[in-house]
Amino acid sequence: MADAFGAVGMTGSAGPEPEADAMAGQRASGVSEATAVRRPGGVRAATPIRAYRWSRSRGAPSVIGVRAVIALALLVPVGCSSPAPRPFTPDDLPAGDPSSAQQAVPTPRVETVEVASGVRVVVEWPAVADRDTTGMINAFRDYRAGSFKSVVTGGQDTAYLETVQDGASSDAYRWVREFLDQRRSVRGTSRLYALNVVSVTGRGAELHGCVDETGMRLLDAETGKAVRRQPDWTRKPFLQAAGLRRGDDGVWRIKLLRHAELPSERAKGCLR
């Protein structure tokens, strides 16, 4: 399908607010060819790197040759090339090194929101999220979960409208209304992952997240059975982009919603 980010995309200003909301984006060394040591008699004992050889000078007494053997034995540790350094492993680091593998690594948190019987939203949180990022993801999660709750309650629950404003309000309302007008409901699991704040300017921010609803099924609201022809959003994941604004109350709300579906390049990052 066509990329629904539109020509403007998510990087321009979303409105005339003074705060300008952002809507987006060794080689071994030191070893000579042969190591030689001069002994008091003028005889050199050479220890090449690749092979250790020695010989007596013509006419030299045999005792000198014996000594040369001894000298050679003493030289082996010196003339031998240093062993190649071991490949780096975290265990080589001191226990107190900040990059040591012994340090605790943050574990991503998985949250499950029970929307209704048989309907849930699973959120794969980033390993680290500051206060603002947490607020943005909360808004995105509540919008997705709230929209489904409105659908399964026949439009009676409208709490999702508290998570959106401006253009996103009408888009969210129309999305729910379409289900109700066609007498459709849902069942299954929606998964949100790869959540990433791509830009922040003043009170404005842009959040990207992957949405996988292949675990959901579109139902006939009257019979509760899955419809024969399932929509594309139940077959492949897509990328959702949300422009948000932090209100005077400190709460982040969604102002703009865009999405990209496969085979769009933006959506390919959501494949796993």
Side-chain angles (χ1 to χ4, degrees):
M1 298 182 77
D3 186 342
F5 270 81
V8 177
M10 297 294 294
T11 57
S13 173
E17 285 84 350
E19 60 272 28
D21 295 342
M23 311 302 300
Q26 142 177 133
R27 189 179 160 186
S29 62
V31 180
S32 60
E33 182 65 20
T35 302
V37 174
R38 184 181 298 272
R39 294 181 289 102
V43 178
R44 292 177 176 265
T47 56
I49 293 175
R50 297 185 179 178
Y52 300 103
R53 294 176 299 177
W54 66 277
S55 62
R56 295 187 298 173
S57 298
R58 179 179 297 181
S62 60
V63 66
I64 299 300
V66 173
R67 289 177 179 173
V69 174
I70 297 173
L72 176 61
L74 295 174
L75 286 172
V76 169
V78 177
C80 185
S81 59
S82 301
R86 291 181 300 160
F88 171 80
T89 60
D91 290 339
D92 291 336
L93 295 172
D97 192 297
S99 56
S100 173
Q102 297 177 6
Q103 273 202 325
V105 177
T107 302
R109 176 168 62 96
V110 177
E111 175 188 15
T112 299
V113 180
E114 296 292 341
V115 176
S117 178
V119 183
R120 65 190 61 83
V121 173
V122 176
V123 184
E124 297 181 13
W125 282 79
V128 178
D130 58 21
R131 181 176 179 179
D132 280 334
T133 299
T134 298
M136 296 176 208
I137 295 177
N138 282 342
F140 188 60
R141 174 204 62 200
D142 293 347
Y143 156 68
R144 299 292 308 181
S147 297
F148 283 124
K149 190 166 187 178
S150 187
V151 168
V152 299
T153 61
Q156 296 182 26
D157 192 302
T158 59
Y160 74 99
L161 292 174
E162 298 176 6
T163 68
V164 291
Q165 62 183 50
D166 300 342
S169 294
S170 55
D171 289 342
Y173 177 78
R174 283 196 299 268
W175 188 86
V176 171
R177 194 74 244 169
E178 185 175 353
F179 278 85
L180 302 181
D181 290 345
Q182 297 179 6
R183 295 180 174 82
R184 295 289 184 257
S185 187
V186 291
R187 178 181 65 237
T189 300
S190 173
R191 185 173 294 271
L192 312 180
Y193 58 98
L195 298 164
N196 180 37
V197 177
V198 298
S199 67
V200 179
T201 303
R203 292 187 178 186
E206 182 179 345
L207 174 74
H208 287 184
C210 292
V211 182
D212 186 348
E213 293 175 345
T214 58
M216 299 202 81
R217 289 295 175 265
L218 186 66
L219 309 178
D220 182 310
E222 296 179 354
T223 66
K225 296 181 178 180
V227 300
R228 182 175 181 180
R229 186 171 183 175
Q230 291 291 310
D232 287 344
W233 53 266
T234 64
R235 299 192 182 103
K236 52 191 176 181
F238 61 91
L239 175 70
Q240 180 97 67
L244 301 101
R245 182 180 185 277
R246 186 179 63 240
D248 294 337
D249 56 0
V251 177
W252 288 91
R253 295 179 178 85
I254 300 173
K255 293 187 59 174
L256 183 66
L257 288 165
R258 292 289 184 270
H259 72 277
E261 300 177 350
L262 293 169
S264 165
E265 289 297 322
R266 295 185 179 95
K268 287 182 179 179
C270 293
L271 292 173
R272 310 206 256 195

PDB file of all heavy atoms in Angstrom, residues 165-193:
ATOM      1  N   GLN A 165      -5.339  14.713  20.620  1.00  0.00           N
ATOM      2  CA  GLN A 165      -5.830  16.075  20.466  1.00  0.00           C
ATOM      3  C   GLN A 165      -5.593  16.524  19.027  1.00  0.00           C
ATOM      4  O   GLN A 165      -4.906  15.868  18.261  1.00  0.00           O
ATOM      5  CB  GLN A 165      -5.139  17.038  21.442  1.00  0.00           C
ATOM      6  CG  GLN A 165      -3.635  17.160  21.251  1.00  0.00           C
ATOM      7  CD  GLN A 165      -2.985  18.068  22.286  1.00  0.00           C
ATOM      8  OE1 GLN A 165      -3.212  17.914  23.491  1.00  0.00           O
ATOM      9  NE2 GLN A 165      -2.175  19.013  21.816  1.00  0.00           N
ATOM     10  N   ASP A 166      -6.191  17.650  18.683  1.00  0.00           N
ATOM     11  CA  ASP A 166      -6.049  18.213  17.347  1.00  0.00           C
ATOM     12  C   ASP A 166      -6.384  17.179  16.262  1.00  0.00           C
ATOM     13  O   ASP A 166      -7.375  16.483  16.369  1.00  0.00           O
ATOM     14  CB  ASP A 166      -4.639  18.782  17.151  1.00  0.00           C
ATOM     15  CG  ASP A 166      -4.311  19.892  18.141  1.00  0.00           C
ATOM     16  OD1 ASP A 166      -5.243  20.443  18.734  1.00  0.00           O
ATOM     17  OD2 ASP A 166      -3.126  20.196  18.317  1.00  0.00           O
ATOM     18  N   GLY A 167      -5.533  17.085  15.239  1.00  0.00           N
ATOM     19  CA  GLY A 167      -5.833  16.193  14.120  1.00  0.00           C
ATOM     20  C   GLY A 167      -5.942  14.738  14.505  1.00  0.00           C
ATOM     21  O   GLY A 167      -6.711  13.979  13.901  1.00  0.00           O
ATOM     22  N   ALA A 168      -5.175  14.320  15.513  1.00  0.00           N
ATOM     23  CA  ALA A 168      -5.209  12.918  15.926  1.00  0.00           C
ATOM     24  C   ALA A 168      -6.556  12.540  16.531  1.00  0.00           C
ATOM     25  O   ALA A 168      -6.961  11.374  16.475  1.00  0.00           O
ATOM     26  CB  ALA A 168      -4.092  12.638  16.924  1.00  0.00           C
ATOM     27  N   SER A 169      -7.263  13.512  17.094  1.00  0.00           N
ATOM     28  CA  SER A 169      -8.566  13.226  17.700  1.00  0.00           C
ATOM     29  C   SER A 169      -9.564  12.742  16.652  1.00  0.00           C
ATOM     30  O   SER A 169     -10.250  11.731  16.831  1.00  0.00           O
ATOM     31  CB  SER A 169      -9.110  14.476  18.396  1.00  0.00           C
ATOM     32  OG  SER A 169      -8.314  14.836  19.497  1.00  0.00           O
ATOM     33  N   SER A 170      -9.634  13.488  15.533  1.00  0.00           N
ATOM     34  CA  SER A 170     -10.584  13.097  14.495  1.00  0.00           C
ATOM     35  C   SER A 170     -10.171  11.791  13.823  1.00  0.00           C
ATOM     36  O   SER A 170     -11.023  10.953  13.490  1.00  0.00           O
ATOM     37  CB  SER A 170     -10.699  14.217  13.451  1.00  0.00           C
ATOM     38  OG  SER A 170      -9.431  14.544  12.924  1.00  0.00           O
ATOM     39  N   ASP A 171      -8.861  11.587  13.635  1.00  0.00           N
ATOM     40  CA  ASP A 171      -8.395  10.332  13.030  1.00  0.00           C
ATOM     41  C   ASP A 171      -8.738   9.135  13.913  1.00  0.00           C
ATOM     42  O   ASP A 171      -9.196   8.091  13.424  1.00  0.00           O
ATOM     43  CB  ASP A 171      -6.878  10.378  12.805  1.00  0.00           C
ATOM     44  CG  ASP A 171      -6.482  11.316  11.684  1.00  0.00           C
ATOM     45  OD1 ASP A 171      -7.352  11.673  10.862  1.00  0.00           O
ATOM     46  OD2 ASP A 171      -5.297  11.702  11.639  1.00  0.00           O
ATOM     47  N   ALA A 172      -8.508   9.275  15.219  1.00  0.00           N
ATOM     48  CA  ALA A 172      -8.792   8.181  16.146  1.00  0.00           C
ATOM     49  C   ALA A 172     -10.286   7.883  16.199  1.00  0.00           C
ATOM     50  O   ALA A 172     -10.703   6.709  16.213  1.00  0.00           O
ATOM     51  CB  ALA A 172      -8.271   8.531  17.539  1.00  0.00           C
ATOM     52  N   TYR A 173     -11.078   8.931  16.202  1.00  0.00           N
ATOM     53  CA  TYR A 173     -12.529   8.745  16.254  1.00  0.00           C
ATOM     54  C   TYR A 173     -13.038   8.027  15.004  1.00  0.00           C
ATOM     55  O   TYR A 173     -13.847   7.097  15.094  1.00  0.00           O
ATOM     56  CB  TYR A 173     -13.220  10.094  16.405  1.00  0.00           C
ATOM     57  CG  TYR A 173     -14.731   9.999  16.405  1.00  0.00           C
ATOM     58  CD1 TYR A 173     -15.428   9.587  17.542  1.00  0.00           C
ATOM     59  CD2 TYR A 173     -15.456  10.296  15.241  1.00  0.00           C
ATOM     60  CE1 TYR A 173     -16.818   9.482  17.531  1.00  0.00           C
ATOM     61  CE2 TYR A 173     -16.836  10.202  15.219  1.00  0.00           C
ATOM     62  CZ  TYR A 173     -17.510   9.786  16.361  1.00  0.00           C
ATOM     63  OH  TYR A 173     -18.885   9.675  16.349  1.00  0.00           O
ATOM     64  N   ARG A 174     -12.548   8.471  13.832  1.00  0.00           N
ATOM     65  CA  ARG A 174     -12.987   7.835  12.585  1.00  0.00           C
ATOM     66  C   ARG A 174     -12.584   6.367  12.530  1.00  0.00           C
ATOM     67  O   ARG A 174     -13.330   5.532  12.012  1.00  0.00           O
ATOM     68  CB  ARG A 174     -12.404   8.582  11.376  1.00  0.00           C
ATOM     69  CG  ARG A 174     -13.103   9.870  11.047  1.00  0.00           C
ATOM     70  CD  ARG A 174     -12.749  10.342   9.641  1.00  0.00           C
ATOM     71  NE  ARG A 174     -11.309  10.580   9.516  1.00  0.00           N
ATOM     72  CZ  ARG A 174     -10.744  11.759   9.729  1.00  0.00           C
ATOM     73  NH1 ARG A 174     -11.486  12.796  10.103  1.00  0.00           N
ATOM     74  NH2 ARG A 174      -9.439  11.913   9.575  1.00  0.00           N
ATOM     75  N   TRP A 175     -11.401   6.029  13.088  1.00  0.00           N
ATOM     76  CA  TRP A 175     -10.937   4.641  13.084  1.00  0.00           C
ATOM     77  C   TRP A 175     -11.895   3.750  13.864  1.00  0.00           C
ATOM     78  O   TRP A 175     -12.290   2.671  13.404  1.00  0.00           O
ATOM     79  CB  TRP A 175      -9.530   4.581  13.686  1.00  0.00           C
ATOM     80  CG  TRP A 175      -8.854   3.256  13.575  1.00  0.00           C
ATOM     81  CD1 TRP A 175      -8.124   2.794  12.513  1.00  0.00           C
ATOM     82  CD2 TRP A 175      -8.839   2.210  14.560  1.00  0.00           C
ATOM     83  NE1 TRP A 175      -7.641   1.520  12.784  1.00  0.00           N
ATOM     84  CE2 TRP A 175      -8.070   1.137  14.027  1.00  0.00           C
ATOM     85  CE3 TRP A 175      -9.391   2.076  15.838  1.00  0.00           C
ATOM     86  CZ2 TRP A 175      -7.841  -0.048  14.729  1.00  0.00           C
ATOM     87  CZ3 TRP A 175      -9.171   0.898  16.537  1.00  0.00           C
ATOM     88  CH2 TRP A 175      -8.412  -0.147  15.988  1.00  0.00           C
ATOM     89  N   VAL A 176     -12.306   4.216  15.034  1.00  0.00           N
ATOM     90  CA  VAL A 176     -13.247   3.443  15.851  1.00  0.00           C
ATOM     91  C   VAL A 176     -14.623   3.393  15.189  1.00  0.00           C
ATOM     92  O   VAL A 176     -15.276   2.338  15.130  1.00  0.00           O
ATOM     93  CB  VAL A 176     -13.353   4.056  17.266  1.00  0.00           C
ATOM     94  CG1 VAL A 176     -14.490   3.403  18.053  1.00  0.00           C
ATOM     95  CG2 VAL A 176     -12.027   3.900  18.008  1.00  0.00           C
ATOM     96  N   ARG A 177     -15.047   4.532  14.649  1.00  0.00           N
ATOM     97  CA  ARG A 177     -16.371   4.624  14.041  1.00  0.00           C
ATOM     98  C   ARG A 177     -16.527   3.650  12.875  1.00  0.00           C
ATOM     99  O   ARG A 177     -17.599   3.071  12.663  1.00  0.00           O
ATOM    100  CB  ARG A 177     -16.589   6.049  13.552  1.00  0.00           C
ATOM    101  CG  ARG A 177     -18.012   6.393  13.197  1.00  0.00           C
ATOM    102  CD  ARG A 177     -18.849   6.548  14.444  1.00  0.00           C
ATOM    103  NE  ARG A 177     -19.898   5.535  14.489  1.00  0.00           N
ATOM    104  CZ  ARG A 177     -20.640   5.309  15.556  1.00  0.00           C
ATOM    105  NH1 ARG A 177     -20.434   5.991  16.675  1.00  0.00           N
ATOM    106  NH2 ARG A 177     -21.584   4.385  15.531  1.00  0.00           N
ATOM    107  N   GLU A 178     -15.442   3.441  12.130  1.00  0.00           N
ATOM    108  CA  GLU A 178     -15.498   2.527  10.989  1.00  0.00           C
ATOM    109  C   GLU A 178     -15.798   1.097  11.431  1.00  0.00           C
ATOM    110  O   GLU A 178     -16.580   0.383  10.788  1.00  0.00           O
ATOM    111  CB  GLU A 178     -14.182   2.574  10.215  1.00  0.00           C
ATOM    112  CG  GLU A 178     -14.189   1.739   8.942  1.00  0.00           C
ATOM    113  CD  GLU A 178     -12.925   1.890   8.129  1.00  0.00           C
ATOM    114  OE1 GLU A 178     -12.082   2.745   8.494  1.00  0.00           O
ATOM    115  OE2 GLU A 178     -12.771   1.149   7.142  1.00  0.00           O
ATOM    116  N   PHE A 179     -15.213   0.675  12.549  1.00  0.00           N
ATOM    117  CA  PHE A 179     -15.512  -0.646  13.097  1.00  0.00           C
ATOM    118  C   PHE A 179     -16.990  -0.746  13.464  1.00  0.00           C
ATOM    119  O   PHE A 179     -17.664  -1.738  13.133  1.00  0.00           O
ATOM    120  CB  PHE A 179     -14.665  -0.915  14.339  1.00  0.00           C
ATOM    121  CG  PHE A 179     -13.269  -1.387  14.062  1.00  0.00           C
ATOM    122  CD1 PHE A 179     -12.254  -0.484  13.819  1.00  0.00           C
ATOM    123  CD2 PHE A 179     -12.957  -2.744  14.049  1.00  0.00           C
ATOM    124  CE1 PHE A 179     -10.962  -0.902  13.572  1.00  0.00           C
ATOM    125  CE2 PHE A 179     -11.672  -3.179  13.795  1.00  0.00           C
ATOM    126  CZ  PHE A 179     -10.658  -2.258  13.553  1.00  0.00           C
ATOM    127  N   LEU A 180     -17.467   0.278  14.150  1.00  0.00           N
ATOM    128  CA  LEU A 180     -18.841   0.236  14.633  1.00  0.00           C
ATOM    129  C   LEU A 180     -19.854   0.281  13.490  1.00  0.00           C
ATOM    130  O   LEU A 180     -20.854  -0.445  13.515  1.00  0.00           O
ATOM    131  CB  LEU A 180     -19.083   1.407  15.593  1.00  0.00           C
ATOM    132  CG  LEU A 180     -18.153   1.465  16.819  1.00  0.00           C
ATOM    133  CD1 LEU A 180     -18.516   2.645  17.709  1.00  0.00           C
ATOM    134  CD2 LEU A 180     -18.194   0.158  17.597  1.00  0.00           C
ATOM    135  N   ASP A 181     -19.585   1.109  12.500  1.00  0.00           N
ATOM    136  CA  ASP A 181     -20.514   1.216  11.370  1.00  0.00           C
ATOM    137  C   ASP A 181     -20.601  -0.090  10.591  1.00  0.00           C
ATOM    138  O   ASP A 181     -21.671  -0.427  10.043  1.00  0.00           O
ATOM    139  CB  ASP A 181     -20.071   2.347  10.428  1.00  0.00           C
ATOM    140  CG  ASP A 181     -20.259   3.728  11.057  1.00  0.00           C
ATOM    141  OD1 ASP A 181     -20.981   3.829  12.078  1.00  0.00           O
ATOM    142  OD2 ASP A 181     -19.677   4.701  10.523  1.00  0.00           O
ATOM    143  N   GLN A 182     -19.494  -0.826  10.514  1.00  0.00           N
ATOM    144  CA  GLN A 182     -19.474  -2.096   9.781  1.00  0.00           C
ATOM    145  C   GLN A 182     -19.810  -3.285  10.670  1.00  0.00           C
ATOM    146  O   GLN A 182     -19.736  -4.425  10.228  1.00  0.00           O
ATOM    147  CB  GLN A 182     -18.101  -2.295   9.133  1.00  0.00           C
ATOM    148  CG  GLN A 182     -17.763  -1.249   8.088  1.00  0.00           C
ATOM    149  CD  GLN A 182     -16.379  -1.451   7.487  1.00  0.00           C
ATOM    150  OE1 GLN A 182     -15.691  -2.446   7.756  1.00  0.00           O
ATOM    151  NE2 GLN A 182     -15.953  -0.505   6.663  1.00  0.00           N
ATOM    152  N   ARG A 183     -20.182  -2.971  11.926  1.00  0.00           N
ATOM    153  CA  ARG A 183     -20.520  -4.013  12.894  1.00  0.00           C
ATOM    154  C   ARG A 183     -19.387  -5.041  13.017  1.00  0.00           C
ATOM    155  O   ARG A 183     -19.598  -6.240  12.881  1.00  0.00           O
ATOM    156  CB  ARG A 183     -21.834  -4.701  12.519  1.00  0.00           C
ATOM    157  CG  ARG A 183     -23.039  -3.786  12.590  1.00  0.00           C
ATOM    158  CD  ARG A 183     -24.319  -4.507  12.220  1.00  0.00           C
ATOM    159  NE  ARG A 183     -25.486  -3.662  12.417  1.00  0.00           N
ATOM    160  CZ  ARG A 183     -25.897  -2.745  11.524  1.00  0.00           C
ATOM    161  NH1 ARG A 183     -25.231  -2.585  10.378  1.00  0.00           N
ATOM    162  NH2 ARG A 183     -26.959  -2.006  11.782  1.00  0.00           N
ATOM    163  N   ARG A 184     -18.216  -4.506  13.296  1.00  0.00           N
ATOM    164  CA  ARG A 184     -17.024  -5.338  13.447  1.00  0.00           C
ATOM    165  C   ARG A 184     -16.449  -5.200  14.850  1.00  0.00           C
ATOM    166  O   ARG A 184     -16.595  -4.171  15.505  1.00  0.00           O
ATOM    167  CB  ARG A 184     -15.956  -4.943  12.420  1.00  0.00           C
ATOM    168  CG  ARG A 184     -16.354  -5.199  10.976  1.00  0.00           C
ATOM    169  CD  ARG A 184     -16.372  -6.698  10.684  1.00  0.00           C
ATOM    170  NE  ARG A 184     -16.654  -6.971   9.281  1.00  0.00           N
ATOM    171  CZ  ARG A 184     -17.831  -7.384   8.819  1.00  0.00           C
ATOM    172  NH1 ARG A 184     -18.853  -7.538   9.671  1.00  0.00           N
ATOM    173  NH2 ARG A 184     -18.003  -7.644   7.532  1.00  0.00           N
ATOM    174  N   SER A 185     -15.778  -6.252  15.305  1.00  0.00           N
ATOM    175  CA  SER A 185     -15.087  -6.244  16.589  1.00  0.00           C
ATOM    176  C   SER A 185     -13.741  -6.945  16.375  1.00  0.00           C
ATOM    177  O   SER A 185     -13.385  -7.295  15.245  1.00  0.00           O
ATOM    178  CB  SER A 185     -15.910  -6.956  17.669  1.00  0.00           C
ATOM    179  OG  SER A 185     -15.291  -6.791  18.934  1.00  0.00           O
ATOM    180  N   VAL A 186     -13.001  -7.136  17.464  1.00  0.00           N
ATOM    181  CA  VAL A 186     -11.674  -7.759  17.358  1.00  0.00           C
ATOM    182  C   VAL A 186     -11.448  -8.751  18.493  1.00  0.00           C
ATOM    183  O   VAL A 186     -12.115  -8.707  19.524  1.00  0.00           O
ATOM    184  CB  VAL A 186     -10.550  -6.697  17.399  1.00  0.00           C
ATOM    185  CG1 VAL A 186     -10.564  -5.847  16.146  1.00  0.00           C
ATOM    186  CG2 VAL A 186     -10.639  -5.849  18.652  1.00  0.00           C
ATOM    187  N   ARG A 187     -10.464  -9.627  18.267  1.00  0.00           N
ATOM    188  CA  ARG A 187     -10.019 -10.565  19.289  1.00  0.00           C
ATOM    189  C   ARG A 187      -8.559 -10.887  19.010  1.00  0.00           C
ATOM    190  O   ARG A 187      -8.159 -11.002  17.848  1.00  0.00           O
ATOM    191  CB  ARG A 187     -10.839 -11.853  19.254  1.00  0.00           C
ATOM    192  CG  ARG A 187     -10.378 -12.901  20.299  1.00  0.00           C
ATOM    193  CD  ARG A 187     -11.201 -14.167  20.221  1.00  0.00           C
ATOM    194  NE  ARG A 187     -10.999 -14.851  18.939  1.00  0.00           N
ATOM    195  CZ  ARG A 187     -11.984 -15.153  18.098  1.00  0.00           C
ATOM    196  NH1 ARG A 187     -13.235 -14.813  18.401  1.00  0.00           N
ATOM    197  NH2 ARG A 187     -11.722 -15.766  16.963  1.00  0.00           N
ATOM    198  N   GLY A 188      -7.740 -11.000  20.089  1.00  0.00           N
ATOM    199  CA  GLY A 188      -6.344 -11.383  19.911  1.00  0.00           C
ATOM    200  C   GLY A 188      -5.381 -10.417  20.568  1.00  0.00           C
ATOM    201  O   GLY A 188      -5.744  -9.671  21.485  1.00  0.00           O
ATOM    202  N   THR A 189      -4.143 -10.430  20.081  1.00  0.00           N
ATOM    203  CA  THR A 189      -3.069  -9.656  20.703  1.00  0.00           C
ATOM    204  C   THR A 189      -2.440  -8.688  19.719  1.00  0.00           C
ATOM    205  O   THR A 189      -2.085  -9.052  18.599  1.00  0.00           O
ATOM    206  CB  THR A 189      -1.969 -10.600  21.240  1.00  0.00           C
ATOM    207  OG1 THR A 189      -2.545 -11.475  22.219  1.00  0.00           O
ATOM    208  CG2 THR A 189      -0.834  -9.807  21.877  1.00  0.00           C
ATOM    209  N   SER A 190      -2.315  -7.452  20.175  1.00  0.00           N
ATOM    210  CA  SER A 190      -1.595  -6.417  19.424  1.00  0.00           C
ATOM    211  C   SER A 190      -0.286  -6.179  20.155  1.00  0.00           C
ATOM    212  O   SER A 190      -0.275  -6.029  21.379  1.00  0.00           O
ATOM    213  CB  SER A 190      -2.409  -5.115  19.380  1.00  0.00           C
ATOM    214  OG  SER A 190      -1.643  -4.070  18.800  1.00  0.00           O
ATOM    215  N   ARG A 191       0.822  -6.158  19.399  1.00  0.00           N
ATOM    216  CA  ARG A 191       2.139  -6.008  20.023  1.00  0.00           C
ATOM    217  C   ARG A 191       2.812  -4.736  19.538  1.00  0.00           C
ATOM    218  O   ARG A 191       2.884  -4.470  18.338  1.00  0.00           O
ATOM    219  CB  ARG A 191       3.012  -7.229  19.693  1.00  0.00           C
ATOM    220  CG  ARG A 191       4.373  -7.237  20.384  1.00  0.00           C
ATOM    221  CD  ARG A 191       5.093  -8.560  20.123  1.00  0.00           C
ATOM    222  NE  ARG A 191       4.401  -9.680  20.745  1.00  0.00           N
ATOM    223  CZ  ARG A 191       4.630 -10.095  21.986  1.00  0.00           C
ATOM    224  NH1 ARG A 191       5.535  -9.475  22.740  1.00  0.00           N
ATOM    225  NH2 ARG A 191       3.977 -11.124  22.484  1.00  0.00           N
ATOM    226  N   LEU A 192       3.313  -3.940  20.519  1.00  0.00           N
ATOM    227  CA  LEU A 192       4.037  -2.707  20.222  1.00  0.00           C
ATOM    228  C   LEU A 192       5.499  -2.910  20.593  1.00  0.00           C
ATOM    229  O   LEU A 192       5.804  -3.325  21.714  1.00  0.00           O
ATOM    230  CB  LEU A 192       3.462  -1.544  21.031  1.00  0.00           C
ATOM    231  CG  LEU A 192       1.930  -1.376  21.022  1.00  0.00           C
ATOM    232  CD1 LEU A 192       1.527  -0.174  21.875  1.00  0.00           C
ATOM    233  CD2 LEU A 192       1.414  -1.224  19.598  1.00  0.00           C
ATOM    234  N   TYR A 193       6.421  -2.609  19.673  1.00  0.00           N
ATOM    235  CA  TYR A 193       7.844  -2.835  19.930  1.00  0.00           C
ATOM    236  C   TYR A 193       8.680  -1.855  19.120  1.00  0.00           C
ATOM    237  O   TYR A 193       8.144  -1.075  18.317  1.00  0.00           O
ATOM    238  CB  TYR A 193       8.232  -4.274  19.595  1.00  0.00           C
ATOM    239  CG  TYR A 193       7.955  -4.697  18.168  1.00  0.00           C
ATOM    240  CD1 TYR A 193       8.960  -4.692  17.200  1.00  0.00           C
ATOM    241  CD2 TYR A 193       6.674  -5.107  17.785  1.00  0.00           C
ATOM    242  CE1 TYR A 193       8.708  -5.076  15.890  1.00  0.00           C
ATOM    243  CE2 TYR A 193       6.408  -5.488  16.487  1.00  0.00           C
ATOM    244  CZ  TYR A 193       7.421  -5.476  15.542  1.00  0.00           C
ATOM    245  OH  TYR A 193       7.160  -5.853  14.248  1.00  0.00           O
TER     246      TYR A 193
END
